[in-house]
């Protein structure tokens, strides 16, 4: 029997240049672009999926938005992955801002933390939480 789960928790982020953020999150960090709505330079809503489940939503800073009080470049997201070394290497290869290098934790996780070009913290690790 196969069971499907649906993503019910979505981190949401604001960016000054949401199109550039999408490119970084897809091309460097490894997200998959699923939807982008808006006109011109403005992104009203974007949905990016993580290949093994979950995702983030993001958009441009804009007046009248439900998230109007959320400054751009603010946030911290943890992503579970079996490949933290490969993601780390991609971030380094583009001159990304690694704030904590690859390391093995005493609780069995391996991972690292970086910041995207607008300042959001992204942590990648093998720790999937308690089961």
């Amino acid at each position: 029997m196969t069971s499907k789960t649906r993503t019910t928790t979505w981190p949401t982020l604001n960016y000054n240049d949401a199109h550039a953020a999408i490119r970084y999150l897809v091309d460097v960090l490894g997200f998959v672009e699923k939807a982008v709505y808006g006109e011109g330079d403005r992104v009203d809503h974007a949905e990016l999926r993580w290949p093994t489940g979950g995702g983030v939503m993001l958009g441009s800073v804009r007046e009248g938005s439900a998230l109007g009080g959320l400054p751009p470049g603010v946030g911290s997201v943890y992503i579970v992955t079996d490949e933290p070394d490969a993601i780390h290497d991609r971030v380094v290869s583009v001159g990304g801002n690694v704030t904590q290098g690859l390391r093995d934790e005493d609780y069995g996780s391996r991972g690292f933390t970086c910041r995207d070009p607008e300042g959001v913290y992204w942590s990648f690790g093998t720790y999937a939480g308690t089961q």
Side-chain angles (χ1 to χ4, degrees), residues 22 24 46 63 70 76 95 99:
I22 291 166
Y24 186 84
E63 193 173 316
L70 178 66
S76 173
T99 61

Side-chain angles (χ1 to χ4, degrees), residues 12 18 32 35 46 57 66 89 93 106-108 123:
T12 55
V32 176
M57 294 182 187
D89 291 350
S93 75
D106 59 0
Y107 51 90
S123 297

Side-chain angles (χ1 to χ4, degrees), residues 7-15 18 21-26 29-37 43-51 53-59 67 74-80 116 120-124:
T7 301
T8 58
T9 303
W10 290 90
T12 55
L13 305 165
N14 277 343
Y15 286 93
I22 291 166
R23 293 287 31 102
Y24 186 84
L25 297 177
V26 169
L29 298 186
F31 282 88
V32 176
E33 181 180 314
K34 289 301 206 175
V36 179
Y37 303 100
V43 174
D44 296 326
H45 170 80
E47 177 185 328
L48 307 180
R49 291 287 184 146
W50 189 245
V56 297
M57 294 182 187
L58 63 94
L67 301 179
V74 172
S76 173
V77 182
Y78 177 78
I79 305 291
V80 177
D116 69 25
V120 175
Y121 286 87
W122 295 89
S123 297
F124 295 86

